């Protein structure tokens, strides 16, 4: 059926025997890597160079043979149709060897196993005097079974000192499997012959064309290393055009491909090639749909075997034409049969729609100009594509729909709404959806329900969620989930994708309405459904929201794992800057802030800002403000933080309804109030008015702090607040109370502690200070025993400070130790910095000194608090102690802190710490207690 591609011009009668290699190109390019392959190959029995026309097979062999001839005979025979006669082939092969000077000694005895005289193409050639290479070019011309059988026998049992190089456009008809199994075969294919960038640069330079390296690389990519394509472009008048404007198959390249490949085929093969060039990739079933003939898979395999610029993609069922050959075929089809082009595109669109390839179906339908069909495909599959990595390509297709056609049907109006959303014009989406619903009047009820469902799904995610109406989002998502359960599968091709989307929307809505337990279940379900439905962006969104939820529950370690999973998945699908991943970046920023990594927190915040874009949804926009406010509080700028929190809801728009977000805003404002010395405002916010929902752990911490500040047990707060108001709160001493982290994990342990109950409890107290202290202890006790680890750390720190203020040193030490135990696994540092005060520093230094005998469990955290970093592994005998170091050493056995030692000696605390580190280094110890013990042994104490 298939003819090898060759020159279609008829040959003259009685042609001369071509027993010499062709003349190499005028400016031959020596390619060392391929020459080395040939040098290695001729050490074995057979070398095969196999590729389509124009890959430089003959030029390579000719240039190599010219250099090889100096070291031994190289015979050359270009095969022709007449060589299918055994006698002619035998005669010409003998002549080729004789011409190359490879005469054998006379009357050489045949070896055992040689072909009998008169049967093989080279009978009785044993005993060649030197290693001889025989090059057979255009081997595809040999088709006679008898000739091929004889040549196979000769290759498998070659005469001594004879090596073969076979050059063929198609797979040679001789059997090579035994040689391949025996390791006697070297194969050089198109992938080896393809020009690399450096080789192409040399080729172009030899032709007088000096191009920038980037343009050379572009040309190599476009030609895929095809030598003829690179050379022919140099002679094309359009070769000087920019690559994006030039037709890769125009002019000389197309002429060559048509003459050498297309016109050399039988009519049925030419028709197959022209019909199947329309799609970018082709498989057997699609080929059958386009040609209307069976055996598509077999025909493609035959074309690929014949090296007709067709190759299989990987190991699957898909094939692809070389891009230059595909362009040449498409141009020929458009010139000769223009009416067939749109028909083939629509056939391809129908096949892809049936097989589930939505984007390819829409692409072909648009190329066929059937905009009604495009719109139906977008309704069925557009939302899935819009949430995938193909979003940009879908938008390009939507832009091709003529604007004046968008009002013709509900489907086209849906396309206009989806395009407006993709382009960032969210304000226009509701009007397009309204117009689409109006156009549904009079349509078939069954299909009207399908289009209405698609409109509801689009409105749910693009309008309701974007505006921040979280209760509305939960209600609409729940209704759509119910509708999906009743619709038949064949009516809603994107049913699985819709379900994953709605589970994610409902989970997000439940999160921001404060129903965290149900939100967690729906977000997990959304992540699983998205993975099953093949919509990874929905999975990214679910995991990112889940990370934020878990952080708010007070589990920063687990939250970090979810955030990393979301960000890594977004990176794999090239969605690092999509809004779906923004909650993951925000969670990471909050976690880094809790760990005291300010630079990392700001970097994550920057990534979140980039992800939400210039026109963010309402809830992410407010969350950005919340995280910024958290960082401002940690940096000692409560005035700026409070101002930012006051502006955030108004900037989010009038439709924002997110109860949990409101509580977070109020909590952030309360922390700013505490930092500014206004605890009464915090108490009023959480205790006055009608009873409300149970306080979250972070709210309980904030209120407990306010009670302690009002009762005189947190006197340092007033000093810090005065300092904050005096210089805009720059510095550690004006920091707030607790981060946004740790909000809801203790819900199960809250019991019935509500807002109203606290007010009544306070009013029932006797002494005002005692009542405030009791209220604070009641709040802290609940948080300490709850599951919110982040809030519990703060609760234990406050407990330690309160116990220390009452003179209960043992209780204070135990409470600080519990705080350290909880903080260490999640690397929490910021809570200790937020409560920075002289008494906390004293407690930490005393804990460090007392804990040395118990091991290094909290060394890192305590050292960060006190600034006293232990020196581990220092060699002993690093020098004698100085006089000042001996003075400091005498204070080490006491329970005085570094600050107290500094006060006694009249020097700075930093100087004392420097002397202590020097003492540790010189003594070769890492701890204060070890320094004391060794100094006593040495008589220094």
């Amino acid at each position: 059926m298939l003819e090898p591609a060759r020159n279609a011009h008829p040959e003259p009668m009685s042609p001369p025997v071509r027993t010499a290699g062709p003349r190499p190109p005028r400016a031959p390019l020596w390619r060392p890597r391929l020459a080395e392959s040939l040098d290695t190959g001729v050490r074995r029995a057979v070398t095969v160079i196999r590729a389509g026309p124009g890959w430089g097979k003959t030029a390579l062999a000719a240039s190599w043979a010219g250099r090889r001839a100096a070291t031994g005979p190289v015979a050359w025979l270009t095969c022709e149709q007449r060589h299918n006669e055994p006698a002619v082939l035998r005669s010409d092969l003998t002549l080729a060897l004789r011409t190359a000077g490879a005469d054998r000694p006379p009357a050489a005895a045949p070896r055992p196993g040689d072909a009998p005289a008169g049967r093989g193409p080279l009978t009785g050639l044993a005993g060649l005097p030197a290693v001889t290479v025989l090059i057979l070019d255009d081997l595809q011309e040999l088709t006679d079974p008898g000739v091929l059988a004889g040549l196979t026998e000769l290759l498998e049992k070659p005469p001594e000192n004879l090596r073969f190089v076979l050059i063929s456009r198609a797979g040679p008809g001789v059997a090579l499997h035994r040689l391949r199994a025996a390791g006697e075969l070297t194969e050089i294919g198109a992938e080896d012959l393809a020009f690399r960038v450096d080789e192409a640069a040399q080729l172009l330079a030899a032709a007088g064309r000096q191009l920038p390296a980037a343009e050379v690389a572009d040309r190599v990519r476009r030609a895929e290393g095809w030598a003829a394509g690179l050379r022919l472009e140099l002679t094309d008048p359009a070769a000087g055009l920019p690559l994006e404007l030039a037709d890769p198959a125009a002019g000389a390249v197309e002429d060559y491909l048509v003459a050498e490949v297309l016109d050399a085929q039988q009519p049925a093969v030419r028709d197959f090639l022209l019909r199947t060039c329309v799609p970018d990739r082709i498989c057997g079933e699609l080929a059958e749909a386009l040609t209307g003939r069976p055996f598509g898979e077999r025909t493609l395999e035959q074309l690929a075997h014949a090296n007709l610029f067709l190759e299989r993609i990987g190991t699957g069922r898909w094939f692809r034409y070389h891009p230059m050959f595909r362009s040449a075929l498409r141009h020929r089809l458009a010139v000769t049969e223009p009416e067939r082009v749109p028909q083939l595109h629509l056939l391809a669109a129908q096949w892809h729609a049936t097989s589930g390839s939505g984007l390819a179906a829409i692409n072909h339908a648009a190329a066929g100009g059937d905009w009604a069909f495009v719109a139906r495909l977008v309704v069925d599959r557009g939302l899935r594509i819009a949430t995938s990595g193909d979003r940009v390509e879908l938008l390009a297709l939507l832009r091709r729909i003529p604007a004046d056609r968008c009002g013709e049907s509900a489907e086209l109006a849906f396309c206009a709404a989806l395009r407006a959303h993709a382009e960032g014009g969210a304000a226009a989406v509701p009007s397009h959806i309204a117009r689409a619903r109006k156009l549904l009047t009079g349509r078939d009820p069954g299909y009207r329900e399908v289009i209405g469902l698609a409109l509801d799904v689009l409105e749910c995610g693009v309008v309701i969620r974007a505006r921040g109406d979280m209760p509305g989002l939960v209600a609409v998502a729940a209704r759509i989930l119910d509708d999906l359960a009743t619709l038949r599968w064949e009516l809603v091709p994107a049913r699985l994708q819709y379900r994953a989307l709605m589970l994610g929307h409902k989970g997000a809505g439940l999160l921001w309405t404060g129903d965290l337990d149900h939100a967690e279940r729906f977000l997990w379900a959304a992540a699983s459904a998205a993975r099953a439905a093949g919509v990874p962006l929905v999975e990214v969104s679910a995991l990112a929201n889940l990370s934020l939820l878990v952080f708010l529950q007070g589990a920063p370690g687990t939250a970090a794992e979810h955030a990393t999973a979301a960000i890594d998945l977004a990176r794999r699908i090239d969605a690092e800057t999509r809004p779906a991943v923004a909650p993951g970046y925000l969670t990471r920023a909050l976690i880094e802030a809790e760990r005291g990594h300010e630079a990392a927190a700001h970097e994550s915040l920057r990534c979140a800002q980039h992800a939400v874009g210039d026109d963010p949804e309402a809830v992410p926009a407010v969350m950005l403000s919340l995280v910024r406010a958290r960082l401002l509080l940690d940096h000692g700028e409560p005035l700026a933080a409070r101002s930012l929190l006051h502006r955030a809801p108004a900037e989010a728009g009038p439709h924002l309804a997110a109860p949990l977000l409101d509580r977070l805003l109020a909590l952030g404002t309360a922390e700013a109030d505490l930092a500014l010395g206004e605890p009464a405002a915090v108490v009023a916010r959480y205790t006055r008015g009608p009873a409300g929902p149970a306080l979250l752990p972070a709210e309980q911490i904030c209120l407990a702090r306010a009670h302690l500040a009002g009762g005189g047990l947190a006197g340092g707060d007033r000093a810090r607040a005065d300092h904050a108001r005096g210089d805009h709160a720059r510095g550690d001493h004006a920091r707030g109370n607790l981060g946004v982290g740790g909000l809801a994990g203790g819900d199960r342990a809250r019991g019935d502690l509500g807002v109203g109950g606290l007010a009544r409890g306070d009013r029932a107290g006797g002494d005002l200070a005692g009542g405030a202290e009791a209220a604070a202890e009641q709040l802290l006790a609940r948080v300490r025993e709850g599951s919110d680890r982040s809030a519990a750390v703060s609760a234990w720190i406050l407990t330690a400070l309160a116990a220390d203020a009452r003179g209960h040193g043992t209780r204070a030490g135990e409470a600080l130790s519990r705080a350290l135990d909880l903080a260490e696994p999640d690397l929490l540092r910021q809570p200790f910095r937020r409560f920075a005060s002289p008494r906390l520093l004293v407690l930490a230094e005393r804990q460090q000194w007392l804990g040395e005998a118990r091991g290094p469990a909290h060394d890192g955290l305590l050292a960060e608090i006190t600034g006293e970093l232990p020196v581990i592994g220092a060699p002993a005998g690093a020098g004698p102690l100085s006089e000042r170091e001996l003075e400091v050493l005498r204070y080490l056995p006491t329970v005085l802190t570094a600050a107290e030692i500094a006060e006694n000696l009249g020097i700075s605390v930093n100087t004392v710490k420097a002397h202590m580190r020097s003492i540790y280094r010189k003594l070769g110890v890492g701890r204060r207690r070890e320094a004391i013990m060794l100094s006593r042994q040495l008589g220094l104490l």
Side-chain angles (χ1 to χ4, degrees):
M1 176 180 177
L2 300 175
E3 290 292 335
R6 63 180 184 276
N7 197 312
H9 300 293
E11 298 178 352
M13 298 297 293
S14 302
V17 180
R18 295 156 67 184
T19 59
R23 179 177 299 176
R26 184 172 53 186
L29 176 64
W30 182 250
R31 304 170 73 184
R33 62 181 179 89
L34 295 177
E36 184 179 349
S37 296
L38 281 170
D39 288 337
T40 303
V42 296
R43 298 190 188 105
R44 302 172 181 171
V46 179
T47 298
V48 175
I49 306 176
R50 175 176 175 265
W55 282 99
K57 307 179 297 298
T58 301
L60 168 66
S63 60
W64 174 83
R67 297 199 181 191
R68 168 77 183 186
T71 60
V74 177
W76 188 294
L77 177 64
T78 301
C79 299
E80 301 167 359
Q81 284 291 325
R82 62 194 184 88
H83 289 131
N84 285 295
E85 291 291 335
V88 175
L89 177 61
R90 184 164 48 248
S91 173
D92 288 353
L93 284 173
T94 303
L95 178 59
L97 289 168
R98 185 176 300 117
T99 302
D103 292 326
R104 65 181 177 86
R111 294 184 304 162
D114 279 348
R119 287 182 55 192
L122 283 178
T123 304
L125 275 181
L128 289 172
V131 174
T132 301
V133 177
L134 175 58
I135 299 176
L136 299 180
D137 195 7
D138 284 344
L139 193 66
Q140 73 275 355
E141 298 293 337
L142 300 184
T143 57
D144 180 75
V147 169
L148 293 173
L151 185 57
T152 299
E153 185 178 357
L154 176 64
L155 296 176
E156 292 179 350
K157 298 179 180 179
E160 189 176 0
N161 288 337
L162 186 60
R163 307 289 186 267
F164 291 90
V165 175
L166 310 180
I167 305 174
S168 178
R169 289 186 174 182
V174 295
L176 300 173
H177 58 281
R178 290 192 180 93
L179 292 168
R180 188 178 291 112
E184 289 294 325
L185 179 66
T186 299
E187 298 178 88
I188 300 175
E191 64 278 5
D192 305 303
L193 295 168
F195 271 74
R196 298 176 180 175
V197 174
D198 57 334
E199 296 171 337
Q202 297 175 35
L203 178 69
L204 297 173
R209 295 289 300 277
Q210 296 289 341
L211 298 177
E215 185 173 345
V216 174
D218 286 340
R219 289 180 180 274
V220 171
R221 278 193 295 269
R222 186 168 66 165
E224 295 187 351
W226 181 42
L230 291 170
R231 290 183 183 274
L232 289 169
E233 277 194 328
L234 297 177
T235 65
D236 197 291
L241 292 175
L243 289 178
E244 63 271 14
L245 300 179
D247 186 344
V253 176
E254 180 180 351
D255 292 342
Y256 178 89
L257 288 168
V258 169
E260 283 287 322
V261 183
L262 185 62
D263 288 347
Q265 305 307 313
Q266 296 177 0
V269 177
R270 286 199 300 270
D271 185 67
F272 183 92
L273 292 170
L274 291 171
R275 282 176 173 267
T276 57
C277 72
V278 169
D280 290 337
R281 61 177 192 163
I282 188 77
C283 67
E285 296 91 337
L286 179 54
E288 292 170 2
L290 293 174
T291 62
R293 303 189 189 100
F295 311 119
E297 179 78 13
R298 185 171 68 184
T299 303
L300 290 170
E301 289 179 350
Q302 291 174 341
L303 289 171
H305 184 72
N307 280 329
L308 291 185
F309 291 92
L310 181 74
E311 65 176 359
R312 187 185 293 273
I313 303 173
T315 59
R317 60 174 182 157
W318 291 97
F319 295 78
R320 62 182 284 273
Y321 290 107
H322 187 284
M324 286 185 164
F325 187 48
R326 182 173 62 235
S327 296
L329 292 173
R330 288 175 177 176
H331 187 257
R332 171 59 73 92
L333 179 64
V335 170
T336 59
E337 299 179 88
E339 73 286 348
R340 185 184 282 188
V341 176
Q343 297 171 3
L344 291 172
H345 276 296
L346 292 178
L347 285 172
Q350 292 167 359
W351 184 88
H352 278 294
T354 303
S355 64
S357 303
L359 184 63
I362 297 170
N363 202 343
H364 283 292
D370 190 340
W371 301 115
F373 188 24
V374 168
R376 290 197 300 273
L377 291 171
V378 171
V379 168
D380 289 341
R381 298 170 173 84
L383 286 175
R384 172 184 178 178
I385 301 171
T387 58
S388 72
D390 298 321
R391 174 175 173 267
V392 174
E393 190 172 350
L394 174 65
L395 177 58
L397 291 170
L398 293 174
R399 286 172 174 160
R400 293 170 59 184
I401 300 176
D404 58 351
R405 301 287 302 273
C406 291
E408 294 182 359
S409 67
E411 293 93 331
L412 285 165
F414 177 88
C415 292
L418 191 57
R419 173 182 171 179
H421 166 59
E423 292 179 334
V429 173
S431 61
H432 288 302
I433 292 177
R435 179 168 59 176
R437 286 187 171 129
K438 185 176 181 180
L439 290 169
L440 283 175
T441 305
R443 298 287 295 271
D444 174 76
Y447 194 62
R448 184 169 67 238
E449 189 175 7
V450 173
I451 302 176
L453 176 65
L455 291 169
D456 289 342
V457 171
L458 180 63
E459 184 178 40
C460 184
V462 174
V463 179
I464 300 175
R465 181 166 177 168
R467 289 175 173 175
D469 181 5
M470 295 297 114
L473 182 66
V474 172
V476 173
R479 176 173 56 80
I480 293 174
L481 287 170
D482 291 340
D483 293 342
L484 286 171
T486 61
L487 289 173
R488 296 200 309 274
W489 175 267
E490 64 272 12
L491 293 178
V492 189
R495 181 177 178 179
L496 290 177
Q497 291 76 35
Y498 285 174
R499 181 174 179 272
L501 278 167
M502 291 305 104
L503 288 171
H505 289 329
K506 187 171 182 180
L510 289 169
L511 165 63
W512 293 114
T513 53
D515 190 351
L516 301 190
D517 289 337
H518 285 92
E520 185 174 10
R521 290 200 291 271
F522 273 93
L523 290 173
W524 273 121
S528 300
R531 189 178 299 114
V535 279
L537 195 63
V538 178
E539 184 180 356
V540 169
S541 177
L543 290 173
N545 279 292
L546 191 62
S547 71
L548 187 56
L549 182 152
V550 173
F551 178 81
L552 297 177
Q553 288 178 326
T558 305
E561 295 174 1
H562 294 328
T564 299
I567 294 169
D568 287 348
L569 178 57
R571 186 177 294 114
R572 290 197 297 273
I573 63 173
D574 196 24
E576 295 170 271
T577 59
R578 298 288 296 275
V581 75
Y585 287 124
L586 290 171
T587 303
R588 181 172 283 181
L590 291 168
I591 293 170
E592 296 297 345
E594 289 299 298
R595 291 174 175 173
H597 302 154
E598 184 177 356
H602 279 284
E603 174 60 22
S604 294
L605 179 62
R606 185 194 64 78
C607 292
Q609 176 69 68
H610 190 46
V612 300
D614 296 330
D615 187 20
E617 296 179 358
V619 170
V622 176
M623 275 303 301
L624 280 170
S625 297
L626 273 167
V627 176
R628 286 196 193 96
R630 175 70 272 153
L631 296 179
L632 286 171
L633 284 170
D634 288 344
H635 199 254
E637 300 181 58
L639 285 174
R642 188 163 66 179
S643 175
L644 179 62
L645 293 171
H646 285 165
R647 294 194 309 268
E651 294 174 353
H655 301 285
L656 178 63
L660 180 59
L661 199 59
D662 293 338
R663 298 181 73 171
L664 294 179
L665 289 167
L667 176 61
T669 303
E671 292 175 353
D673 291 340
L674 284 172
L676 291 168
E678 301 174 8
V682 177
V683 174
R685 177 178 289 108
Y686 288 116
T687 61
R688 294 179 183 174
L695 289 181
L696 304 173
E699 292 171 324
Q700 295 180 53
I701 292 292
C702 193
L703 182 54
R705 177 89 182 281
H707 281 307
L708 292 174
L713 293 178
D717 295 340
R718 295 191 182 93
R720 288 194 294 275
D722 293 340
H723 177 70
R725 280 195 289 260
D727 61 359
H728 296 287
R730 290 198 175 273
D732 291 342
H733 296 295
R735 288 174 180 153
N737 170 40
L738 182 69
V740 178
L743 285 179
D747 284 356
R748 301 178 186 88
R750 285 197 299 267
D752 60 354
L753 182 62
V755 172
L758 286 169
R760 290 188 292 272
D762 286 349
R763 286 191 291 270
D767 177 75
L768 182 60
E773 181 182 347
E777 174 56 27
Q778 181 186 12
L779 292 164
L780 295 176
R782 292 180 179 275
V783 177
R784 290 195 301 262
E785 302 305 321
S787 60
D788 187 327
R789 294 175 63 91
S790 297
V793 171
S794 296
W796 281 112
I797 294 173
L798 280 174
T799 301
L801 289 172
D804 182 68
R806 293 193 296 269
H808 300 162
T810 301
R811 170 64 172 162
E814 292 174 351
L816 183 59
S817 180
R818 293 290 298 274
L820 293 168
D821 288 337
L822 289 171
E824 194 63 42
D826 293 322
L827 306 177
L828 302 181
R829 300 294 187 267
Q830 199 62 27
F832 297 93
R833 298 177 185 175
R834 292 192 186 112
F835 291 102
S837 70
R839 292 311 306 163
L840 181 61
L841 181 62
V842 169
L843 286 173
E845 289 183 332
R846 186 166 295 150
Q847 187 73 18
Q848 189 177 32
W849 187 86
L850 293 174
E852 286 178 349
R854 296 194 294 267
H858 304 134
D859 266 357
L861 186 51
L862 283 170
E864 289 186 32
I865 299 172
T866 63
E868 184 180 332
L869 300 176
V871 179
I872 305 299
L881 300 182
S882 67
E883 182 178 351
R884 180 63 78 178
E885 289 168 352
L886 288 171
E887 291 181 4
V888 173
L889 178 63
R890 295 188 185 100
Y891 281 94
L892 294 187
T894 70
V895 294
L896 297 180
T897 66
E900 292 167 335
I901 295 172
E903 183 177 354
N904 279 276
L905 292 176
I907 58 179
S908 71
V909 66
N910 289 332
T911 301
V912 170
K913 291 178 179 179
H915 287 317
M916 292 172 70
R917 285 193 290 270
S918 180
I919 292 169
Y920 297 166
R921 183 176 65 255
K922 291 180 178 181
L923 294 178
V925 299
R927 303 176 184 281
R928 186 170 177 172
R929 181 174 294 277
E930 293 173 0
I932 295 170
M933 294 174 62
L934 183 57
S935 296
R936 284 175 175 161
Q937 293 172 5
L938 296 174
L940 298 176
L941 289 175

